[in-house]
Amino acid sequence: MKNDEILTVKETAALLKTTRQQVRKMIANEELPAVKVGREWRVLKAGILEFFEERI
């Protein structure tokens, strides 16, 4: 699993086993680092791993 992969909200939700709405909420609350590309959000897989490391 490469950490430099860029994921969509849908892919991020599948990886975290949650909903797309929850992922967007996490982005809005700045819990999950993301970048807006046009109208879509993109999440770096390394950011998801960081999210888990901070909470474990």
Side-chain angles (χ1 to χ4, degrees):
M1 171 162 67
K2 291 178 67 180
N3 294 343
D4 60 350
E5 273 186 80
I6 298 170
L7 305 175
T8 63
V9 169
K10 185 177 180 179
E11 292 167 333
T12 303
L15 189 65
L16 295 177
K17 297 185 182 352
T18 189
T19 63
R20 289 176 297 188
Q21 292 83 358
Q22 182 62 38
V23 171
R24 287 191 199 98
K25 191 174 178 181
M26 292 167 71
I27 292 168
N29 293 337
E30 297 181 357
E31 294 176 87
L32 200 57
V35 175
K36 199 160 196 180
V37 179
R39 294 176 55 205
E40 301 286 322
W41 286 100
R42 296 292 181 263
V43 180
L44 195 61
K45 191 175 272 189
I48 297 169
L49 297 175
E50 246 178 64
F51 171 79
F52 275 101
E53 286 172 8
E54 288 174 2
R55 283 155 181 79
I56 293 177

